[in-house]
Amino acid sequence: MTYVYGGNDRPRIVVIGGGTGLSVMLRGLKEKPLDITAIVTVADDGGSSGILRSELAMVPPGDIRNVLTALADVEPLLGKMLEYRFQKGQGLAGHSLGNLILAAMQDITGDFVTGVRELSRVFAVRGRVLPAANHAIVLKAEMTDGSIVVGESKIPKAGKTIKRVFIEPADVSPLPEAIEALKQADAIVLGPGSLYTSILPNLLVPEIARTIVQSKALKIFICNVMTQPGETDGYSVSDHIQALHDHVEQDLFDYVIVNNGEIPPQVQDRYAEKGAKVVHLDLDEVTLKGYKVIADQLILFRTYLRHDAEKLSQHIYQLVESWMHKKR
């Protein structure tokens, strides 16, 4: 079967990851004249997603829901409805309405991917949202002490240093639409998001990393602003890059976009209480590895530090436009 993407002259961009960081970035990218495909992790096993995954034998819906909401062209109230999490009710407390709707759509259409596609149409989603695979995967981590931690939600809580992560089944089939989107992409963006539990699970699905390596597209990595306790403690920008290289055994991207804006001391102190620190930009190390670096003030602080979606998406769009101009 041949999957046709695009259908217009907009640059085709594929973003890969999961979690809050990816959703924040997509809220900015959807305002640009881009043909967007989001490939989203299927390793989540915590909270509402974990319960639905276990009880209904379905792809965990949480990260998919977040991305759908970010890309949806709907009234703010409808977006809040998708994100609404029940606080009471036997068996209902903790579930988000969007997760339950995705579970219902799987039953109605007979297939999770079809359900996501139909829900995307209903919510006027600006782009395509695809799970990395049509089956849930189990994420495991080998720690530096040799122990194995099983489960995406348990890995950051183990209190140990990660040596590597891997998935089961190791030979899970990637979604054909995801592979085709990567092959046709003009640009591929990794991150932002949890390095070991949101980004790498996608790259460990067979063919996905290989297709990225073989692609002639522009490839961009968005580095996190803060380290993540239990995952990237003490990591610099080059440490993030090295972890990706160690798992894939290939260089995956051309550009690294990082924040170099000052984070107020009181904000740093608040994050330090939870064990998170600013990701250090070791520029010499990154450039020695052969990557081009775009550094800018890319953060906003409200309750939490977040990427400035507008500025980040503008940098990505300018890189893509320049790349497309060179191709012409």
Side-chain angles (χ1 to χ4, degrees):
M1 183 181 294
T2 301
Y3 298 92
V4 180
Y5 289 83
N8 55 47
D9 59 357
R10 294 183 172 196
R12 290 167 292 197
I13 183 169
V14 176
V15 297
I16 303 172
T20 305
L22 181 64
S23 300
V24 169
M25 180 179 72
L26 286 171
R27 292 182 192 278
L29 278 180
K30 76 176 181 182
E31 303 301 332
K32 303 296 182 185
L34 295 167
D35 185 336
I36 301 171
T37 298
I39 297 175
V40 186
T41 180
V42 291
D44 189 6
D45 64 356
S48 170
S49 283
I51 293 169
L52 293 172
R53 165 184 174 149
S54 174
E55 294 186 355
L56 302 179
M58 67 181 292
V59 171
D63 284 321
I64 297 280
R65 181 203 76 239
N66 284 334
V67 171
L68 283 171
T69 305
L71 288 173
D73 191 10
V74 295
E75 293 294 325
L77 184 60
L78 197 54
K80 288 181 180 178
M81 184 187 76
L82 284 173
E83 293 296 307
Y84 177 76
R85 197 170 294 274
F86 292 93
Q87 304 298 318
K88 301 176 182 178
Q90 187 75 26
L92 193 59
H95 281 297
S96 81
L97 183 57
N99 286 358
L100 297 177
I101 290 173
L102 281 166
M105 289 301 294
Q106 174 175 277
D107 278 354
I108 290 167
T109 64
D111 174 75
F112 184 76
V113 175
T114 304
V116 171
R117 187 182 300 125
E118 290 302 308
L119 197 61
S120 297
R121 185 176 56 80
V122 170
F123 287 109
V125 168
R126 299 189 196 179
R128 286 165 298 279
V129 182
L130 303 171
N134 206 4
H135 303 281
I137 59 176
V138 176
L139 186 67
K140 299 185 177 183
E142 179 186 356
M143 302 304 191
T144 52
D145 66 358
S147 61
I148 303 293
V149 178
V150 179
E152 175 267 344
S153 62
K154 296 182 178 64
I155 291 169
K157 299 174 183 176
K160 299 180 179 181
T161 302
I162 298 170
K163 180 180 179 182
R164 69 180 181 107
V165 291
F166 56 102
I167 62 171
E168 287 190 359
D171 60 350
V172 63
S173 297
L175 197 70
E177 293 99 321
I179 296 299
E180 192 61 29
L182 287 167
K183 288 179 177 177
Q184 295 193 20
D186 296 305
I188 299 169
V189 178
L190 292 173
S194 301
L195 179 65
Y196 287 103
T197 54
S198 289
I199 296 174
L200 275 166
N202 295 290
L203 300 179
L204 295 174
V205 174
E207 288 189 53
I208 287 186
R210 189 182 317 126
T211 304
I212 296 172
V213 169
Q214 293 171 351
S215 171
K216 303 299 183 185
L218 170 70
K219 300 161 196 172
I220 304 167
F221 174 58
I222 315 295
C223 192
N224 291 341
V225 175
M226 306 295 292
T227 62
Q228 186 166 352
E231 280 202 43
T232 54
D233 299 284
Y235 273 35
S236 65
V237 174
S238 69
D239 290 328
H240 283 78
I241 293 169
Q242 190 62 47
L244 291 167
H245 186 280
D246 289 346
H247 281 77
V248 179
E249 299 181 343
Q250 298 261 16
D251 290 334
L252 284 177
F253 39 89
D254 311 295
Y255 283 87
V256 183
I257 298 181
V258 300
N259 172 66
N260 70 348
E262 193 67 33
I263 298 173
Q266 65 270 25
V267 176
Q268 292 192 45
D269 290 344
R270 186 180 302 183
Y271 273 82
E273 290 173 4
K274 298 180 180 179
K277 296 182 179 179
V278 176
V279 174
H280 171 61
L281 171 55
D282 47 348
L283 186 59
D284 290 344
E285 284 293 319
V286 177
T287 52
L288 276 173
K289 292 177 183 290
Y291 301 108
K292 302 178 184 73
V293 177
I294 305 268
D296 195 3
Q297 169 80 39
L298 293 174
I299 51 166
L300 295 172
F301 179 75
R302 293 188 177 97
T303 306
Y304 300 98
L305 276 174
R306 294 283 183 258
H307 275 99
D308 183 327
E310 185 176 339
K311 288 184 74 172
L312 180 57
S313 60
Q314 185 61 28
H315 277 296
I316 294 169
Y317 182 67
Q318 287 175 347
L319 283 175
V320 173
E321 278 286 279
S322 176
W323 181 264
M324 296 298 290
H325 182 72
K326 289 177 184 175
K327 285 176 64 176
R328 297 188 193 105

